[in-house]
Amino acid sequence: MENPALDALFFGAHPDDLELSAGGLICQMTKKGLAVGLVDLTRGERGTYGNAETRRAESLEAAKVLGVEVRETLDMGDGELENNRKNQLEITELIRKYKPRLLFVPTTFDRHPDHAAAGQILSKAYFYARLKKLESAYPAHSPELLVRYFLHDYTQASFIVDITNVFEQKMAAIKVYRSQMTERVVPEGYRPIGIANYLEDIECRARYYGSLIQAKYGEPYLLDNPPRLNDPFVFIDQP
């Protein structure tokens, strides 16, 4: 049976990365009836809390909260994700398999090396997916647009999405990751990569980016190149 084409395909390094960074936009898309898929490049097995099995179960539960039917978890090695040809070609196959119109990936800069590596892998795979002379199990496919989301580190956003009407749904999906989000005793000598309280951090960032577009909550995104725009009135025709 042929795999249905997706409107959007989101890739993240670990289970919960996509909920934390792009959960609001994912909710907006599924509420509109768009077909959305999520792919985690690793199982998150080396995280300080939880294990691969726990995080897989949480990721599937979170997908239901987000309204997503397609979620795949790969095994590229948590903590050792590398931008190599093997990984690039594996991702290329998935892009061709699901034929998304929009591709969402991490930035190529982040203090977590897995996040940066994921962004670099996806940059190559995005290019490879369109090459007709690169043989694979699926025909070549070229997504119409590649969009990057932010994780720990930020720069000037290309655009911000108003997620006010789905913010609680986004937070509900994040809270499904009980192994990661539940209050706990921090191990002695442990220094969080980002911030110790992710739930508070996510709300603070969403409020900040929302304030930039006169909304309560917002999510920032980055484009590698300026967007093509034929009608500037799209900026003022927003609800």
Side-chain angles (χ1 to χ4, degrees):
M1 181 177 178
E2 185 178 355
N3 295 286
L6 297 177
D7 293 297
L9 184 58
F10 290 74
F11 284 90
H14 314 99
D16 78 14
D17 282 354
L18 293 174
E19 288 81 358
L20 290 165
S21 58
L25 180 55
I26 293 169
C27 291
Q28 294 281 31
M29 289 182 169
T30 58
K31 285 175 72 71
K32 293 178 180 178
L34 298 177
V36 178
L38 313 181
V39 179
D40 307 308
L41 302 191
T42 77
R43 300 181 300 152
E45 69 275 11
R46 288 201 173 96
T48 304
Y49 305 103
N51 53 50
E53 292 72 24
T54 297
R55 301 192 73 175
R56 174 59 176 165
E58 291 171 342
S59 72
L60 293 176
E61 185 179 350
K64 293 180 180 179
V65 176
L66 295 171
V68 172
E69 295 184 5
V70 174
R71 184 160 207 162
E72 294 200 25
T73 299
L74 308 182
D75 189 11
M76 293 184 173
D78 184 14
E80 55 189 58
L81 192 57
E82 293 185 358
N83 179 24
N84 57 43
R85 188 164 177 79
K86 176 179 179 295
N87 289 340
Q88 292 162 6
L89 293 179
E90 185 172 352
I91 299 304
T92 297
E93 286 283 87
L94 287 177
I95 295 173
R96 291 180 167 188
K97 174 183 176 180
Y98 288 114
K99 304 180 288 292
R101 295 187 62 198
L102 299 178
L103 190 63
F104 289 84
V105 307
T107 61
T108 56
F109 56 88
D110 193 89
R111 72 192 70 174
H112 194 308
D114 279 356
H115 297 165
Q120 295 158 8
I121 293 168
L122 265 298
S123 295
K124 279 290 188 73
Y126 170 65
F127 176 76
Y128 286 155
R130 71 183 67 192
L131 299 182
K132 294 182 179 180
K133 292 185 178 180
L134 195 160
E135 296 182 1
S136 69
Y138 304 95
H141 172 73
S142 181
E144 296 176 34
L145 185 66
L146 180 144
V147 182
R148 299 188 188 276
Y149 58 81
F150 299 92
L151 286 151
H152 292 303
D153 300 334
Y154 287 74
T155 187
Q156 180 70 41
S158 300
F159 64 91
I160 298 171
V161 177
D162 182 356
I163 63 166
T164 305
N165 67 325
V166 293
F167 183 72
E168 294 305 321
Q169 184 179 356
K170 168 184 169 124
M171 295 303 289
I174 292 172
K175 291 175 182 178
V176 161
Y177 290 91
R178 288 171 286 275
S179 67
Q180 309 301 306
M181 304 301 163
T182 304
E183 289 187 19
R184 62 182 73 80
V185 177
V186 178
E188 184 178 354
Y190 175 75
R191 295 185 62 187
I193 293 176
I195 191 169
N197 189 330
Y198 275 109
L199 297 179
E200 181 181 22
D201 182 50
I202 292 301
E203 180 167 5
C204 289
R205 292 188 184 191
R207 283 187 175 274
Y208 168 70
Y209 282 102
S211 72
L212 298 181
I213 57 170
Q214 298 181 334
K216 187 173 182 180
Y217 298 111
E219 269 180 358
Y221 293 89
L222 180 66
L223 299 175
D224 289 351
N225 299 297
R228 176 178 176 175
L229 185 66
N230 294 325
D231 181 8
F233 282 92
V234 297
F235 290 121
I236 61 175
D237 289 340
Q238 297 293 325

